[in-house]
């Protein structure tokens, strides 16, 4: 009998919550541009503004600071491109939507555990005053939580006038955070990483921060982001944020199954490396390197058995390049393209982890004798 498929690639895209899909279906069936004055338009506006409140609540901030975008990629592009031509510092482990929007940026190194290196940051801050510092709140490949509050405090102490950005796409719905307490000016969010729809996100902008208008045309989103609002998507995002906020405790429970999996694999295969294991991580993510077997071979072996995991960020996994995150962590070159990312979420069951362990161990026993021990 066919085994049930197992989806453990939530950091690439989390399955949408059924209540979110239901709400979106209802709203998609209704006409109305949120800028129109008639009753249909007013109803659409009501859903957009309700969602703005829900997103603000997730980040413990004011709805006024929330601008809807097409996702975290757009939010990151808006901020990083706004500061082009000025001195910018970004962590070496940022998502490509940050790194490629700021090719001139200087990289802040990370430690072997995948946490930003505060001493190296201090050295970089002692040079010319940067206009922007961008450090993500949670890394998408390892799940390692970054000390963004400390980064912001240090940067402001040393460099008055500096702007701070954090990409919180992989933090939202996984750990609690407050926009003001982080001390940042800009914060990027993505709906589909927290079980909302794909193609929607937000940029939070603190009062006093330089505005970073990105798309020009209509006057939507207080002239910060032109274009007719995606009403169903935005409403779905709002509901997903609300549900995620109410389920932070159950999300935290995922670490038990994740830690059991890591223990099981390590006992059978002591040569594996679990990246960021000694750092604070979000509960759902595990990045496991197995020397000798390229990540795409591992992925295909698991896929044949109906198990979906990833080699890292979905954006670059079509072509399995060595992971820039693992390289920045100083991982040996042979491991940088030999690691799998397992990421769970709201619909994951303990049996999913057990099945992954079973299939992974079967794969390992087939190839173990061929592994070149380096
Ligand atoms: N930042 C991080 C940390 C991510 O993991 C992702 C998604 N891979 C993005 C940004 C891009 O988000 P979106 O898909 O909403 O554009």
């Amino acid at each position: 009998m066919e085994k049930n498929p197992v989806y453990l690639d939530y950091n690439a895209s989390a399955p949408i919550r059924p209540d979110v899909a239901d709400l979106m279906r209802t709203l998609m069936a209704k006409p109305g541009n949120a800028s129109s004055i008639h009753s249909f338009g007013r109803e659409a506006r009501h859903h957009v503004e309700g969602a703005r409140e829900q997103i603000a609540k997730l980040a413990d901030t004011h709805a006024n600071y929330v601008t809807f975008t097409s996702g975290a990629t757009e939010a990151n592009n808006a901020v990083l491109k706004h500061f082009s031509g000025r001195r910018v510092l970004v962590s070496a482990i940022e998502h490509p939507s940050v790194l490629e929007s700021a090719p001139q940026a200087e990289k802040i190194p990370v430690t072997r555990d995948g946490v930003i290196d505060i001493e190296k940051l201090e050295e970089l801050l002692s040079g010319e005053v940067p206009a922007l510092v961008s450090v993500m709140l949670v890394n998408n490949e390892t799940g390692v939580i970054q000390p963004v509050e400390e980064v912001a405090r240090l940067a402001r102490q040393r460099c008055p006038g500096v702007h701070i950005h954090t990409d919180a796409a992989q933090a939202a719905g996984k750990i609690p955070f407050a926009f003001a307490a982080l001390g940042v000016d800009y914060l990027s969010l993505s709906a589909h990483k927290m079980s909302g729809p794909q193609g929607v996100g937000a940029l939070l902008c603190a009062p006093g921060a330089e505005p970073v208008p990105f798309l020009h045309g209509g006057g939507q989103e207080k002239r910060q982001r032109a274009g007719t609002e995606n009403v169903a998507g935005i409403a779905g995002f709002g509901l997903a944020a609300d549900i995620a906020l109410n389920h932070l405790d159950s999300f935290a429970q995922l670490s038990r199954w994740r830690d059991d999996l890591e223990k099981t694999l390590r006992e059978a295969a002591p040569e594996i490396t679990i990246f960021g294991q000694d750092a604070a991580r979000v509960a759902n993510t595990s990045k496991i390197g197995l020397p000798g077997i390229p990540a795409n071979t591992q992925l295909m072996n698991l896929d044949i058995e109906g198990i979906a995991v990833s080699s890292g960020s979905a954006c670059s996994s079509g072509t399995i390049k060595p992971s820039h995150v693992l390289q920045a962590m100083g991982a040996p070159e042979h491991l940088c393209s030999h690691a799998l990312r397992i990421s769970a979420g709201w619909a994951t069951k303990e049996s999913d982890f057990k099945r992954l362990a079973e299939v992974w161990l079967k794969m390992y026993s087939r190839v173990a004798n061929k592994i070149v021990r380096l």
Side-chain angles (χ1 to χ4, degrees), residues 11 70-73 76 95 97 136 138 140 167 169-170 190 192-193 200 315:
N11 287 10
S70 64
T73 295
N76 289 343
H95 187 265
S97 55
M136 67 200 329
V138 167
N140 44 305
D167 175 354
Q170 295 287 350
S190 173
H192 71 115
K193 309 291 183 184
V200 193
C315 324

Side-chain angles (χ1 to χ4, degrees), residues 22 57 122 127 132 140 176 182 185 198 227 260 281 353 370:
D22 287 347
K57 195 163 166 221
E122 285 185 297
L132 179 73
N140 44 305
L182 286 175
D185 297 285
Q198 298 178 340
D260 283 351
R281 285 182 294 169
F353 276 100
K370 300 199 194 89

Side-chain angles (χ1 to χ4, degrees), residues 94-138:
E94 293 299 308
H95 187 265
S97 55
V98 166
L99 295 176
E100 292 179 23
S101 297
Q104 88 285 10
E106 291 160 62
K107 309 282 185 310
I108 312 162
V110 297
T111 65
R112 299 191 87 76
D113 286 334
V115 185
I116 187 159
D117 186 328
I118 294 288
E119 276 177 25
K120 296 274 169 42
L121 171 66
E122 285 185 297
E123 282 168 27
L124 286 163
L125 291 173
S126 66
E128 184 201 332
V129 171
L132 179 73
V133 175
S134 179
V135 174
M136 67 200 329
L137 192 47
V138 167

Side-chain angles (χ1 to χ4, degrees), residues 80 83-84 86-90 102 104-106 130-134:
L80 274 295
F83 287 91
S84 73
R86 291 188 266 174
R87 184 167 186 239
V88 172
L89 306 180
V90 301
Q104 88 285 10
E106 291 160 62
L132 179 73
V133 175
S134 179

